[in-house]
Amino acid sequence: MSIVAHTIGDRSDSRETTSLDRRRIRRRRSVIPGFGITLGLTLTWLALIVLIPLGGLFLKTAELSPSQFWSIVTGTRALNALKISFGLSLVAAAVNLFFGALVGWALVRYEFPGKRLVDAIIDIPFALPTAVAGIALTTLFAENGWLGGLLSPLGIKVAFTPLGILIALIFIGLPFVVRTLQPVLEDLDTEIEEAAATLGASRWQTITRVIAPIVLPSLLTGFALAFARAVGEYGSVIFIAGNLPNVSEIAPLLIVIRLEEFKYADATAIAVVMLLASFVILFAINRLQRWSAERTSHS
Amino acid sequence: MAGPATGFAERVRPNGTTQRRSARTESLIVRWLIIGVSLLFLFVFLVLPLVTVFVQAFSRGIGPYLGALTDPDAVSAIRLTLIVAAISVVLNLLFGLVAAWSIAKFEFPGKSLLITLIDLPFSVSPVISGLVFVLLFGAQGFFGAWLIEHDMKIIFALPGIVLATVLVTFPFVARELIPLMQEQGTQEEEAAISLGASGLQTFFRVTLPNVKWALLYGVLLCNARAMGEFGAVAVVSGHIRGETNTMPLHIEILYNEYQFMASFAVASLLALLALVTLIAKVVLERFAISEQ
């Protein structure tokens, strides 16, 4: 990268850098072989494994008339399942936003015994298979479980209620906020905090007016990633959810149920709604990451 | 510059260091409150579930634990999981290397779109990742009739399970490699090529050694996810015991049959795999840092 920048700089000494120069530089860089074949293989494999199968989903939906599609998606059970999935995912991502920010802050800014170990276990939800997490959380939060036993005298039931779904979604989303926040906090220049303090800001003012705006995009990125993951989550939820239609039945489970009933159109229509939603979230994440990069490069 | 400036600050403010410290960090109470709440949260949500798996698995002692693992259905589930993971990891390893080479070493329009598309499977529900292959290859699917005619089976068989797993684990190796190789730039490769190395020599002797730890971590992560994939595989497998049951599906069946101990015994193997993956991450990161 820097060599290219230098080359451009050197040339502009003698004359203005033209597009021809840039093209020459680009051509000079492609002394490395294999561009055509690697890009070709990448695109082919991407098309075969990802794009064509996902495209098939839309093709299948096209067999439905718009009114058929609409009546499936807005049917009571489907609508409730979508509401449960999106609503609880939003709440879970918000919980993770708060606790993820705390954990990320503690890991980057403070020293305490066992910090390295704590940092390592953050990734447990990435590495632990969802079915394993599902049965473990269910056992933990069942009425005779370690945590369920503590909560049930207070009248709080977790397992087999929507609250159980929330617990599972918090579990799987936790690392996203911590892992997107951490690098931004590490790169944060403490000099600007000192400057703020020198200028008379209290610590609380420094955090809310100086640090928060810089880390906000990365926090929101983590939030969006956790949300996206939670919306589609299946394995860790179905054991603890209770799976009562209209109450604790998530959309991915309804897709599986419709599929097992051979109602392919129903399954596909719900899947398309979820897929479109994840496209929107993905687009939002992209924009957030660009925003985050701009914020941190300015600071 | 820095030396005299600090000296100046110290002369002006004799207790400058303590003032600075309080300006940059929170009071002791706030600090310990944040650490305490964080640790409690992580303990409840991350540590306790993991501990639960092993406590339940060994709840009746080591004999029944081993018995649950050597049950023929469990053994066949373990075998199928290993086969599926081996195929999926190799395919995604090759794809990851090829994709990372084209994206990191060359400039072309639409690159960021391509990276987004590679990441796409991360944001698709696993259930949908399974569903799309049922729509293509299932009995009522686009190619269903043709497959039946030619007596080929993809759904409810090994190929379907592999396809779903490959889709779910598609980005893992590529996304570990792409940012690292982009950061490393192309100078070393250009130097090797201008010194007369062939493309493959450059790849194996220059590029690969530079990314080996990231590559290894990507492979481990891909493997952990491939072995543990549940939603996508559940949709395409058909849950045929002893035939198309992977370990996560076997865990589900045992759990739903109230064979909790046996279910957790199989789960403990996957939990162990997760622990090994996490430890490997820490170790590999240290290797990568010490080499820099």
Side-chain angles (χ1 to χ4, degrees):
Chain A
M1 284 291 272
S2 61
I3 281 184
V4 177
H6 276 299
T7 323
I8 292 171
D10 291 346
R11 289 186 179 202
S12 63
D13 283 345
S14 49
R15 58 196 159 105
E16 289 292 302
T17 315
T18 62
S19 63
L20 188 72
D21 285 324
R22 282 202 207 95
R23 212 174 301 147
R24 242 181 237 158
I25 291 160
R26 188 178 290 171
R27 188 166 296 170
R28 201 178 54 100
R29 288 185 69 186
S30 65
V31 293
I32 298 173
F35 175 63
I37 186 163
T38 53
L39 188 64
L41 282 171
T42 303
L43 292 176
T44 310
W45 191 233
L46 181 72
L48 284 177
I49 296 293
V50 181
L51 301 182
I52 293 174
L54 290 181
L57 192 67
F58 288 100
L59 210 61
K60 187 81 185 171
T61 322
E63 290 172 9
L64 292 169
S65 74
S67 63
Q68 278 174 314
F69 178 83
W70 191 248
S71 73
I72 291 172
V73 172
T74 55
T76 316
R77 195 168 165 188
L79 201 60
N80 279 324
L82 288 168
K83 274 185 198 162
I84 290 164
S85 274
F86 283 93
L88 287 176
S89 298
L90 213 56
V91 178
V95 172
N96 278 328
L97 183 70
F98 176 75
F99 283 101
L102 275 193
V103 171
W105 183 262
L107 283 174
V108 174
R109 286 304 178 91
Y110 304 148
E111 290 303 323
F112 53 92
K115 187 171 134 171
R116 276 195 173 164
L117 184 71
V118 173
D119 186 66
I121 64 166
I122 301 289
D123 286 330
I124 285 178
F126 283 159
L128 197 68
T130 53
V132 179
I135 61 169
L137 288 171
T138 310
T139 307
L140 206 53
F141 284 97
E143 265 180 75
N144 56 357
W146 291 341
L147 293 174
L150 291 175
L151 293 171
S152 74
L154 307 171
I156 303 171
K157 276 190 181 173
V158 179
F160 318 121
T161 71
L163 198 56
I165 303 177
L166 187 65
I167 296 284
L169 296 182
I170 293 172
F171 170 84
I172 51 121
L174 171 68
F176 290 99
V177 177
V178 180
R179 291 303 188 219
T180 45
L181 177 65
Q182 257 179 327
V184 177
L185 274 184
E186 275 161 9
D187 287 345
L188 202 63
D189 206 339
T190 49
E191 273 174 26
I192 56 164
E193 291 169 49
E194 279 168 35
T198 314
L199 292 170
S202 71
R203 186 63 191 157
W204 178 245
Q205 282 175 319
T206 308
I207 290 175
T208 52
R209 304 257 181 97
V210 178
I211 300 174
I214 298 174
V215 300
L216 184 67
S218 70
L219 276 177
L220 289 178
T221 307
F223 173 85
L225 286 168
F227 177 65
R229 173 71 206 265
V231 166
E233 180 56 21
Y234 176 71
S236 61
V237 174
I238 55 159
F239 295 98
I240 200 170
N243 304 326
L244 212 63
N246 301 318
V247 178
S248 56
E249 184 179 67
I250 55 167
L253 176 66
L254 187 57
I255 294 176
V256 173
I257 290 172
R258 291 299 184 231
L259 210 53
E260 280 168 358
E261 295 169 348
F262 299 105
K263 291 180 178 166
Y264 285 69
D266 291 46
T268 312
I270 301 167
V272 161
V273 172
M274 297 193 65
L275 198 60
L276 288 176
S278 50
F279 285 153
V280 172
I281 300 168
L282 201 65
F283 180 71
I285 291 170
N286 259 353
R287 298 301 294 267
L288 280 170
Q289 275 168 339
R290 204 167 297 171
W291 183 30
S292 177
E294 279 168 18
R295 272 279 165 95
T296 43
S297 68
H298 283 314
S299 71
Chain B
M1 276 290 274
T6 327
F8 177 72
E10 271 166 5
R11 252 177 288 134
V12 172
R13 242 177 15 199
N15 58 347
T17 43
T18 46
Q19 275 193 7
R20 263 234 199 115
R21 177 172 278 267
S22 70
R24 272 193 314 192
T25 192
E26 293 70 51
S27 68
L28 198 66
I29 299 170
V30 175
R31 248 183 292 165
W32 281 108
L33 201 65
I34 291 176
I35 294 173
V37 171
S38 297
L39 291 183
L40 185 68
F41 180 75
L42 295 178
F43 180 75
V44 168
F45 275 91
L46 302 184
V47 179
L48 279 182
L50 201 60
V51 173
T52 301
V53 174
F54 292 102
V55 169
Q56 294 291 327
F58 290 102
S59 57
R60 283 188 224 149
I62 189 103
Y65 174 79
L66 292 175
L69 292 184
T70 47
D71 174 83
D73 284 343
V75 171
S76 105
I78 294 169
R79 190 187 301 130
L80 181 63
T81 293
L82 291 175
I83 294 170
V84 170
I87 300 172
S88 310
V89 169
V90 168
L91 287 177
N92 280 330
L93 167 66
L94 293 175
F95 167 77
L97 285 171
V98 167
W101 181 267
S102 66
I103 289 171
K105 301 299 175 190
F106 304 95
E107 290 302 322
F108 55 91
K111 193 197 255 192
S112 66
L113 177 69
L114 180 58
I115 296 175
T116 305
L117 288 177
I118 289 174
D119 271 349
L120 188 60
F122 273 142
S123 20
V124 173
S125 174
V127 167
I128 295 177
S129 298
L131 169 70
V132 292
F133 291 110
V134 174
L135 294 180
L136 283 180
F137 304 118
Q140 299 181 21
F142 293 112
F143 302 108
W146 188 87
L147 286 169
I148 292 168
E149 215 171 276
H150 291 79
D151 203 24
M152 281 155 78
K153 221 175 172 193
I154 292 182
I155 299 305
F156 304 150
L158 180 68
I161 299 175
V162 170
L163 278 173
T165 308
V166 170
L167 173 53
V168 169
T169 58
F170 190 77
F172 277 89
V173 180
R175 78 148 22 193
E176 288 298 320
L177 289 180
I178 291 169
L180 182 66
M181 280 168 67
Q182 275 181 325
E183 218 172 273
Q184 288 174 345
T186 54
Q187 289 106 312
E188 289 189 36
E189 282 81 7
E190 281 166 347
I193 295 208
S194 61
L195 290 171
S198 73
L200 281 178
Q201 278 176 322
T202 308
F203 173 73
F204 282 108
R205 303 239 184 119
V206 177
T207 311
L208 208 53
N210 276 339
V211 299
K212 59 174 184 274
W213 302 125
L215 179 69
L216 200 52
Y217 180 56
V219 164
L220 281 170
L221 217 55
C222 183
N223 177 62
R225 184 66 198 266
M227 286 193 174
E229 180 48 35
F230 178 69
V233 172
V235 171
V236 294
S237 119
H239 293 82
I240 308 165
R241 271 192 185 214
E243 274 182 51
T244 63
N245 250 1
T246 60
M247 284 166 80
L249 299 180
H250 193 58
I251 292 170
E252 183 200 17
I253 288 180
L254 289 173
Y255 192 85
N256 288 341
E257 287 174 349
Y258 302 102
Q259 300 189 49
F260 296 132
M261 193 281 296
S263 174
F264 276 105
V266 180
S268 73
L269 292 182
L270 289 174
L272 208 60
L273 174 75
L275 284 177
V276 170
T277 307
L278 290 185
I279 293 167
K281 185 197 174 191
V282 175
V283 173
L284 291 175
E285 269 174 357
R286 223 166 274 176
F287 279 158
I289 289 167
S290 71
E291 269 187 12
Q292 268 172 8

